[in-house]
Amino acid sequence: ISEFVYRVRLGYSDDQALKAIDPEATVVFVMNHRSNMDYVLVTYMASSRASLSYAVGEWARVWLLQSLIRSMGAYFVRRNSKDDLYRRVLERYIAMATEAGVPQAVFPEGGLTRDGLMREPRLGVLDYMMRGFRLEAERDLVFVPLGINYDRVIEDRSLLRKANPDAARSSLWHTLRVTGGQVFKQMRLGLLGRRYRHGYACVNFGKPLSMRDYVRTHALDLRALDDAARRHVVATLGQTLMQQIGLIIPALPVPLVAAVLMRDPQRSWSELELKSEVQELMKRIEALGAHVYLPRSDRDYAITVGLRMLLLRRLVQEQDGLHCPNPQELPVLAYYANSIAHLQVQCA
């Protein structure tokens, strides 16, 4: 599924640090959440290393989809349940899985980003894991940051519509009609030999964070802390993990081109001007220690690919050799620029 929809790439992996993880440790992958394809993509990318267990909201409990999601190791949770018994059972389930060494995947943001920007972490699952952690326990608890990004998020317009309180809700018939139309279009283009996949989907694996080392370094004894103090420790840990995730989110061709175009949506750019500005942005991002994914290791080709996809989707208009954002598609263009907005802020 992943390879059919995207050109899937492993952009960066700290192999030495990953190999140094204690084989008996409980490994938890923590990552940003951009698309429902994240579940499929991460399961695929990690399949040679581990079978993952991760929480999915009840939105996925629909016919066929829930079977696919469950087969990939997911368990369903009620995100906003106020039932104390349910939350205690969920806490114990996660604690037992962690103590047993089950590899897990967690989205600290708690849900999909609807505007493309990284969200503040929701700390429930992290708190459940940390409550049961003991320095002298048989297993270490190791968090591995993952950064995910796409040249095209399949549900981008749906997410933007949900973020807009004034937008009319789409009917089930409209959703099915649009989905069916896209499937038919892709099949037709495939038969004509003109089908492009939805650009690149890239995953970066960052440096693992051992909780044994973290607890020792900060002189923490979680069992001795009351609820308020423990939540403060978990909140600090959550911010640390989100910073590491943000730093390894790959800068892909479409977000890079979109970021430059959105600096001044009224401006028209020649291809040479646009490529020059995008290359400067690449250099500044790399100077932070962040990672730009370059198809074929070619900066010029990467920019060409990003611009081509934006033109094909009519997010960018071309006239007389000049390129400018389509005024009617600025929210979509901003959505892709926002995926690397945190990197732009740091390198400004």
Side-chain angles (χ1 to χ4, degrees):
I1 293 173
S2 299
E3 293 282 2
F4 177 78
V5 179
Y6 294 106
R7 298 182 184 276
V8 179
R9 299 292 185 266
L10 172 61
Y12 168 81
S13 177
D14 193 335
D15 292 329
Q16 290 300 113
L18 291 172
K19 289 177 181 177
I21 297 175
D22 183 349
E24 296 301 317
T26 298
V27 176
V28 179
F29 296 98
V30 287
M31 65 206 79
N32 61 309
H33 200 5
R34 285 193 59 75
S35 168
N36 290 312
M37 275 294 294
D38 294 347
Y39 301 104
V40 181
L41 183 65
V42 172
T43 300
Y44 171 51
M45 297 299 287
S47 60
S48 62
R49 304 168 189 256
S51 296
L52 302 179
S53 174
Y54 47 83
V56 181
E58 287 195 308
W59 64 267
R61 299 194 71 173
V62 295
W63 177 76
L64 192 60
L65 180 60
Q66 69 174 349
S67 299
L68 173 64
I69 294 292
R70 187 178 286 118
S71 72
M72 294 190 296
Y75 57 93
F76 298 100
V77 297
R78 295 186 293 233
R79 298 281 188 191
N80 298 309
S81 173
K82 304 299 183 183
D83 187 332
D84 187 58
L85 176 59
Y86 170 78
R87 300 191 72 82
R88 287 181 179 273
V89 171
L90 178 62
E91 175 189 345
R92 188 63 192 137
Y93 177 86
I94 293 173
M96 290 175 65
T98 304
E99 292 167 5
V102 176
Q104 299 174 63
V106 174
F107 299 100
E109 294 166 292
L112 287 166
T113 173
R114 293 181 177 180
D115 56 7
L117 295 168
M118 292 186 70
R119 302 173 64 180
E120 288 297 313
R122 298 179 67 178
L123 305 169
V125 173
L126 288 179
D127 189 29
Y128 293 159
M129 292 177 176
M130 293 301 294
R131 284 188 198 186
F133 178 74
R134 293 175 290 113
L135 186 60
E136 68 278 9
E138 178 183 353
R139 299 179 189 276
D140 190 8
L141 174 59
V142 179
F143 291 106
V144 179
L146 265 69
I148 307 171
N149 210 351
Y150 302 86
D151 272 335
R152 178 175 182 178
V153 173
I154 297 173
E155 63 272 51
D156 51 9
R157 296 181 189 276
S158 298
L159 292 169
L160 287 167
R161 193 160 49 246
K162 289 179 180 178
N164 182 1
D166 299 324
R169 292 194 58 164
S170 298
S171 65
L172 177 62
W173 165 244
H174 174 78
T175 302
L176 292 174
R177 182 167 58 83
V178 171
T179 302
Q182 284 294 322
V183 171
F184 176 77
K185 178 181 178 181
Q186 293 299 315
M187 292 175 62
R188 180 174 61 83
L189 291 174
L191 291 172
L192 295 173
R194 294 164 47 198
R195 177 182 173 270
Y196 290 101
R197 281 176 281 185
H198 292 332
Y200 291 93
C202 186
V203 178
N204 288 342
F205 288 76
K207 183 178 181 180
L209 179 62
S210 162
M211 284 300 96
R212 279 182 182 165
D213 294 342
Y214 186 84
V215 167
R216 287 196 187 105
T217 301
H218 294 82
L220 297 173
D221 183 356
L222 296 173
R223 291 175 299 173
L225 301 178
D226 59 25
D227 281 353
R230 190 195 65 255
R231 289 194 185 103
H232 177 73
V233 169
V234 173
T236 302
L237 173 64
Q239 290 295 338
T240 299
L241 291 173
M242 290 304 296
Q243 289 172 7
Q244 293 189 13
I245 293 168
L247 193 61
I248 61 168
I249 290 176
L252 297 185
V254 165
L256 286 164
V257 176
V260 170
L261 289 170
M262 287 304 296
R263 290 176 184 171
D264 184 358
Q266 308 304 319
R267 177 178 173 179
S268 295
W269 301 74
S270 70
E271 187 169 338
L272 184 60
E273 290 174 329
L274 188 58
K275 286 186 174 181
S276 176
E277 285 298 314
V278 175
Q279 293 211 30
E280 284 300 315
L281 177 58
M282 289 178 176
K283 292 175 183 177
R284 291 199 297 271
I285 289 175
E286 289 172 333
L288 289 174
H291 305 280
V292 175
Y293 177 71
L294 297 175
R296 304 182 184 178
S297 300
D298 187 330
R299 293 179 186 271
D300 186 77
Y301 176 75
I303 300 169
T304 299
V305 167
L307 181 59
R308 180 181 67 190
M309 175 161 283
L310 293 173
L311 288 167
L312 286 171
R313 293 192 64 191
R314 298 183 176 86
L315 302 182
V316 172
Q317 299 172 331
E318 180 182 9
Q319 185 174 5
D320 299 327
L322 298 177
H323 303 84
C324 66
N326 183 341
Q328 297 180 347
E329 299 289 2
L330 291 181
V332 183
L333 205 60
Y335 172 86
Y336 288 97
N338 285 345
S339 69
I340 57 171
H342 59 286
L343 297 176
Q344 295 184 80
V345 169
Q346 293 181 60
C347 66

